[in-house]
Amino acid sequence: MKQTLLQEKYPVYVAEIPKAETRHATVDDVIAYFKDKIAANPKVKFIGVFDHYAHTTQIGGTIAPEIKAAAEVIFCFGIALPNPLVLAVRPRSIGIADLGDKFVITFLEAPMAPANEAMEAWTKGLRNAD
């Protein structure tokens, strides 16, 4: 897993997971995996799934040819609401892109360490794990 800056300002975690290194074959499989991880944590609330590929296709948008499917799993750690500004960085999402021979998993760095640690652990767990 690596960290990068998207557009020189958004701190993003990125993991490229070859399909040969995971038991998950489709984006839907990976979504189910993340939903299970979210459900197992009583401090995290599942919100929904956004099929970004279908949406972009429907509106006639541009999709890189190597992307075969793409979706986001949306959820919230929200263990505190100390001020209204934190609403700008919630909820969280994990992006899943199928590039044929691998998945690319991405998420924006959260402002609280426990959220980052959980999302990183979940993502690393995709490699030949539950």
Side-chain angles (χ1 to χ4, degrees), residues 67-88:
I67 298 174
K68 309 304 179 205
E72 280 91 25
V73 177
I74 305 161
F75 53 95
C76 190
F77 281 88
I79 59 174
L81 196 53
N83 62 63
L85 299 179
V86 298
L87 296 170

Side-chain angles (χ1 to χ4, degrees), residues 2-126:
K2 67 178 183 174
Q3 288 182 278
T4 188
L5 283 178
L6 176 64
Q7 299 176 349
E8 299 181 11
K9 59 182 165 182
Y10 302 108
V12 174
Y13 286 76
V14 180
E16 293 187 9
I17 301 174
K19 288 186 177 178
E21 294 181 15
T22 182
R23 69 173 185 85
H24 306 285
T26 67
V27 167
D28 287 340
D29 291 345
V30 178
I31 288 169
Y33 165 84
F34 281 119
K35 285 175 73 174
D36 287 346
K37 294 298 182 186
I38 291 164
N41 187 326
K43 295 185 178 185
V44 183
K45 171 78 173 166
F46 173 74
I47 297 170
V49 173
F50 175 65
D51 186 333
H52 205 138
Y53 190 94
H55 166 74
T56 305
T57 299
Q58 182 181 17
I59 63 169
T62 303
I63 300 173
E66 66 272 16
I67 298 174
K68 309 304 179 205
E72 280 91 25
V73 177
I74 305 161
F75 53 95
C76 190
F77 281 88
I79 59 174
L81 196 53
N83 62 63
L85 299 179
V86 298
L87 296 170
V89 294
R90 293 192 183 141
R92 309 298 325 151
S93 69
I94 295 178
I96 306 151
D98 182 341
L99 273 58
D101 64 338
K102 66 183 172 184
F103 294 109
V104 177
I105 310 298
T106 56
F107 59 88
L108 189 63
E109 182 177 8
M112 61 183 217
N116 289 318
E117 291 163 4
M119 292 185 291
E120 189 170 2
W122 297 344
T123 299
K124 286 179 177 178
L126 281 168

